[in-house]
Amino acid sequence: MSEEYDVEFVEREDREARFLVRGVTPAFANGIRRAMVADVPTMAIDTVRFIENSSVMFDEQIALRLGLVPLTTPPEGEFVEDDTVTLSIDVEGPDTAYSGDLVSNDELVQPADENVPIIDLKDGQRLEAEADAVIERGKNHAKHQGGVGVGYRHLQRVEVVDDLPEFEEQESQIVRGVIEEDGELVSTTEFDHDLSKRYPGKEVRLEDVPNAFVFHVETDGSFTIEELVTRAADTIEARATELEDAVQL
Amino acid sequence: MMVPVRCFTCGNVVGEHWEEFDERSNEGDEDPEAVLDELGVDRYCCRRMLVSHTDLVDVVSPYQ
Ligand SMILES: [Zn+2]
């Protein structure tokens, strides 16, 4: 792609970020969002073979819980569809089986969260199982959804219209997201989402900045935010190329 | 029975926060709102997963 996009981070953590993208159409912004939710493949447990399960839950219930545990997903190209990684779990009661008890045969694929309780085992109960993790897309099953709570808003610009009449009481004006002030990005959390606190005694007007979107992205721990966003963009490119090839004469 | 691994609505992993939440606000006397804020469970869809959960393993295990 020849066009360049301007990306600026507002907040940035390992699993959560807020960033501004300029110069994209609303359709493309939504395309990115949808790709992050449904089209970025992640690893998750898909098949479980039970050797012993004397817990209070049925095999299929435990298999579902194991499937929902996020697993770290290896770098792009490392795994392709139909590749599997085997994880095993063996816990004897009285104890609680945690996601951290899963032992993987691949260093790249590990439980991303170690403290998820799988099943509480009482005296004499035991859970021993072997599971196969596969790489799949979020549109096939929610357990493969790497992006969580992905959304975007327009960047807003504040314009001071006038001073308020001297004795008029100012009403609160709520806005959420990020506003632009002389080129500076200000998160609305800084003034409790209330413009009347930021501009006391002023009449202000808000307007959307065209083609500027502030994304809020979280991941389930399968990969970092950067990985998620770049992989989402890559899946769009892959599908666009596929379409181009398909319609070529 | 056991706490759900992920939030039904958004898919965020909430299971890992259950034990701390239970200890501090169900067993302990901390304000659930403050505990959830501190755990980073921000959205109300995820918050209700923990607030409304009851562990039933102890209740059903005698009937195994
Ligand atoms: Zn949620």
Side-chain angles (χ1 to χ4, degrees):
Chain A
M1 218 169 340
S2 55
E3 246 177 292
E4 295 241 331
Y5 300 113
D6 188 21
V7 177
E8 201 176 322
F9 276 88
V10 183
E11 281 160 37
R12 187 180 201 164
E13 283 162 49
D14 247 14
R15 288 192 184 188
E16 192 174 351
R18 203 185 281 270
F19 57 89
L20 168 70
V21 185
R22 280 181 205 271
V24 295
T25 61
F28 190 74
N30 191 43
I32 290 270
R33 180 193 71 82
R34 289 186 53 160
M36 282 193 261
V37 171
D39 276 307
V40 179
T42 72
M43 298 292 295
I45 289 172
D46 194 50
T47 315
V48 182
R49 290 177 294 276
F50 284 91
I51 294 143
E52 187 179 340
N53 173 23
S54 42
S55 73
V56 294
M57 271 189 164
F58 296 122
D59 289 2
E60 55 268 38
Q61 293 177 298
I62 290 177
L64 172 70
R65 295 181 68 81
L66 289 172
L68 290 171
V69 171
L71 301 174
T72 55
T73 299
E76 239 173 328
E78 196 78 38
F79 279 88
V80 292
E81 259 164 76
D82 299 332
D83 278 354
T84 59
V85 171
T86 307
L87 298 102
S88 58
I89 189 165
D90 186 356
V91 182
E92 209 175 318
D95 200 358
T96 303
Y98 290 95
S99 55
D101 294 322
L102 283 164
V103 184
S104 168
N105 72 350
D106 193 315
E107 219 165 275
L108 293 169
V109 181
Q110 297 287 343
D113 290 316
E114 311 228 304
N115 286 323
V116 182
I118 303 295
I119 181 70
D120 192 7
L121 296 163
K122 299 293 168 202
D123 204 16
Q125 297 178 343
R126 178 151 178 252
L127 173 69
E128 189 183 355
E130 222 177 62
D132 288 337
V134 296
I135 193 156
E136 259 293 356
R137 286 158 199 276
K139 59 181 163 195
N140 294 319
H141 195 296
K143 66 187 175 187
H144 294 289
Q145 180 186 323
V148 166
V150 183
Y152 58 85
R153 283 169 197 270
H154 257 116
L155 178 67
Q156 313 254 309
R157 191 186 290 134
V158 182
E159 195 188 328
V160 178
V161 185
D162 208 352
D163 283 347
L164 279 179
E166 204 175 337
F167 299 107
E168 193 173 308
E169 199 167 314
Q170 193 169 14
E171 283 179 19
S172 57
Q173 196 176 351
I174 304 298
V175 56
R176 283 173 197 278
V178 176
I179 60 167
E180 188 179 38
E181 265 180 358
D182 309 319
E184 288 275 305
L185 299 179
V186 183
S187 170
T188 56
T189 47
E190 278 181 36
F191 46 90
D192 200 19
H193 311 285
D194 188 354
L195 282 176
S196 69
K197 289 186 184 163
R198 183 97 179 163
Y199 297 93
K202 304 273 188 211
E203 193 189 328
V204 292
R205 202 163 42 205
L206 267 183
E207 61 178 19
D208 292 344
V209 181
N211 296 334
F213 296 94
V214 181
F215 280 83
H216 175 259
V217 180
E218 280 172 47
T219 80
D220 67 350
S222 301
F223 23 53
T224 58
I225 295 288
E226 287 87 355
E227 285 278 317
L228 175 66
V229 181
T230 48
R231 286 185 200 193
D234 288 348
T235 68
I236 293 181
E237 194 191 348
R239 275 174 290 154
T241 317
E242 200 180 310
L243 178 66
E244 195 183 12
D245 291 345
V247 297
Q248 228 143 45
L249 294 173
Chain B
M1 186 100 76
M2 293 292 293
V3 67
V5 178
R6 291 186 187 228
C7 169
F8 293 153
T9 304
C10 71
N12 190 28
V13 182
V14 291
E16 58 166 347
H17 302 301
W18 166 249
E19 289 190 347
E20 188 176 346
F21 175 78
D22 188 43
E23 221 162 86
R24 289 171 62 180
S25 48
N26 293 342
E27 311 296 328
D29 53 3
E30 281 185 68
D31 181 13
E33 183 185 349
V35 177
L36 287 168
D37 283 345
E38 221 173 282
L39 291 171
V41 182
D42 294 327
R43 283 182 289 277
Y44 56 70
C45 57
C46 309
R47 291 164 87 96
R48 60 95 203 255
M49 298 301 296
L50 296 179
V51 169
S52 60
H53 176 67
T54 313
D55 256 335
L56 289 179
V57 173
D58 294 334
V59 179
V60 297
S61 63
Y63 309 104
Q64 198 33 0

